[in-house]
Amino acid sequence: MIFPTIVVATYNRLDSLKRLLETLVNANYEGYNNIRLLISVDKHPAEEENVLNFLNNFDWPFGEYIIKTYKKRLGLKNHFIQCCDYTYDYDSIIFLEDDFIVSKNFYKYSTQSLNFYKDDTRISGIALYSLAYNEFSNRVFTPLEDGSEQYFIQIPTWGKVFTKEKWSGFKDWYLSKSHFEFDELQLPKVIRKWSKKSFKREYIKYLVDQDKFFVLPRKSFVTNFGEQGEHFVNKDSKFQRPLRIEYSKSPNYSFVDIAKSLSVYDVYMEILPEKLKKINSDLQNFNFTVDLYGIKPLKQITTEY
């Protein structure tokens, strides 16, 4: 059984951090012992002392409590990579950012999903956040209902859950020649405009290049407040999602294999053609690309339809 360490990245949003830690303390850890919490504090010239003063007086009642600091500022992408590198020390992690809150049973879902998908090589990681918005087309996104609690997509969204093996797949690729040889024309135009400081940009490249996917729940176990910081110039509430509420202290979640799921999406948030063919057998003999949002460049489409 895998019991992940909770890793929280913070920088200068003390009020946000306090709110997240309150939800972590109030979460359900029944049946688990020694839940490790690690807070990673990137160096800030003005706010670091305030953050550390609070953290040094914070009580974590569920197990080991660790505060990590750095001699110089890492910056957003390198800080996130450092946080995920703690999988090498602790075997598995739940990676949270300071402007999140979590649902009561986020830890139970994380452990159960990790144990289900740990050996699936097509799965790069697990997310605790469910997408409802396609940021590449500025339209609503609703994954196909296929009777399962999960869907799969080539986007590493929030509340990332990794084993050491799954994280090292990305890290090895990121440090390899393949990272520099990746053709970014395979990505949506919006992503290509993102800053090279973006961790998400680099991870999406890996998913596309290696044909891997993230597992997402249909109802979120975390939500993002989108508060002003390194991600957002101004506060943006459009990424907030309703949290999953359950009254059982011992929920058992059901999971689906990606090969059996009908709800599998590419980097453009378009359903895969082979999944549509399973839904409609009349499409079996057609070689087509799915572009329902209409944002895939025509020059990249090589199929007949």
Side-chain angles (χ1 to χ4, degrees):
M1 192 73 166
I2 298 173
F3 303 107
T5 293
I6 303 168
V7 176
V8 174
T10 191
Y11 179 48
N12 65 340
R13 295 185 292 199
L14 181 55
D15 288 341
S16 301
L17 177 62
K18 289 178 180 179
R19 183 183 58 216
L20 168 62
L21 292 179
E22 181 180 358
T23 65
L24 287 175
V25 168
N26 289 323
N28 176 22
Y29 305 104
E30 188 173 292
Y32 302 106
N33 296 313
N34 193 22
I35 307 299
R36 185 185 294 109
L37 173 64
L38 186 154
I39 312 290
S40 180
V41 186
D42 201 4
K43 191 168 186 64
H44 190 282
E47 294 296 327
E48 184 180 21
E49 184 177 353
N50 292 332
V51 172
L52 290 176
N53 283 340
F54 167 75
L55 290 175
N56 286 327
N57 291 288
F58 172 73
D59 179 41
W60 175 248
F62 302 105
E64 186 179 2
Y65 175 51
I66 302 166
I67 303 170
K68 291 285 188 179
T69 59
Y70 310 95
K71 292 182 179 179
K72 61 181 181 178
R73 189 183 172 206
L74 299 175
L76 190 65
K77 180 171 70 174
N78 289 332
H79 190 201
F80 283 9
I81 290 174
Q82 175 61 62
C83 286
C84 295
D85 275 350
Y86 289 121
T87 57
Y88 296 120
D89 298 318
Y90 304 116
D91 293 325
S92 61
I93 67 163
I94 302 168
F95 175 45
L96 304 172
E97 299 168 46
D98 56 13
D99 63 340
F100 293 0
I101 60 172
V102 299
S103 71
K104 287 278 189 182
N105 287 316
F106 86 99
Y107 195 83
K108 288 184 176 288
Y109 179 81
S110 298
T111 57
Q112 290 180 28
S113 57
L114 271 181
N115 282 281
F116 185 87
Y117 292 109
K118 63 183 179 180
D119 297 323
D120 191 329
T121 58
R122 291 198 71 187
I123 303 305
S124 175
I126 296 154
L128 302 177
Y129 178 88
S130 185
L131 292 164
Y133 175 72
N134 185 331
E135 60 187 307
F136 313 133
S137 65
N138 292 316
R139 295 190 179 97
V140 170
F141 171 75
T142 305
L144 176 74
E145 289 286 355
D146 64 354
S148 66
E149 291 193 36
Q150 293 80 31
Y151 60 100
F152 304 83
I153 198 165
Q154 290 185 313
I155 298 172
T157 191
W158 292 302
K160 300 173 185 65
V161 186
F162 294 115
T163 61
K164 177 173 63 178
E165 291 74 22
K166 292 190 182 302
W167 170 251
S168 64
F170 165 75
K171 190 67 181 294
D172 292 346
W173 178 89
Y174 180 69
L175 297 174
S176 73
K177 185 171 66 173
S178 298
H179 173 246
F180 298 100
E181 293 179 344
F182 178 80
D183 179 8
E184 294 199 1
L185 292 177
Q186 299 178 65
L187 303 177
K189 187 176 181 180
V190 171
I191 298 179
R192 301 200 301 270
K193 292 181 178 180
W194 288 353
S195 167
K196 292 187 177 180
K197 296 179 182 178
S198 169
F199 168 74
K200 185 177 176 181
R201 181 178 187 264
E202 301 307 316
Y203 208 104
I204 287 174
K205 288 162 60 176
Y206 165 68
L207 295 174
V208 173
D209 188 59
Q210 298 297 304
D211 192 29
K212 293 181 182 289
F213 296 83
F214 253 67
V215 186
L216 275 62
R218 293 186 182 275
K219 294 184 179 179
S220 289
F221 291 86
V222 305
T223 191
N224 186 329
F225 275 72
E227 289 169 329
Q228 186 175 1
E230 293 298 292
H231 272 313
F232 301 102
V233 176
N234 299 302
K235 186 171 181 177
D236 191 340
S237 62
K238 70 173 174 283
F239 295 107
Q240 289 190 20
R241 299 287 289 130
L243 286 179
R244 180 165 180 157
I245 297 176
E246 294 150 325
Y247 297 99
S248 170
K249 289 188 176 181
S250 301
N252 286 310
Y253 300 101
S254 61
F255 299 95
V256 63
D257 187 280
I258 189 172
K260 296 180 180 179
S261 173
L262 297 177
S263 196
V264 185
Y265 295 83
D266 65 19
V267 68
Y268 286 84
M269 304 179 76
E270 299 283 7
I271 193 167
L272 299 190
E274 59 262 35
K275 301 302 180 179
L276 277 184
K277 289 180 180 183
K278 289 184 177 181
I279 298 167
N280 185 350
S281 59
D282 290 342
L283 297 173
Q284 286 293 338
N285 296 324
F286 293 94
N287 182 21
F288 60 90
T289 296
V290 181
D291 187 25
L292 300 177
Y293 285 107
I295 58 173
K296 291 184 178 179
L298 287 175
K299 62 183 178 181
Q300 290 184 32
I301 296 175
T302 57
T303 55
E304 186 178 1
Y305 298 100

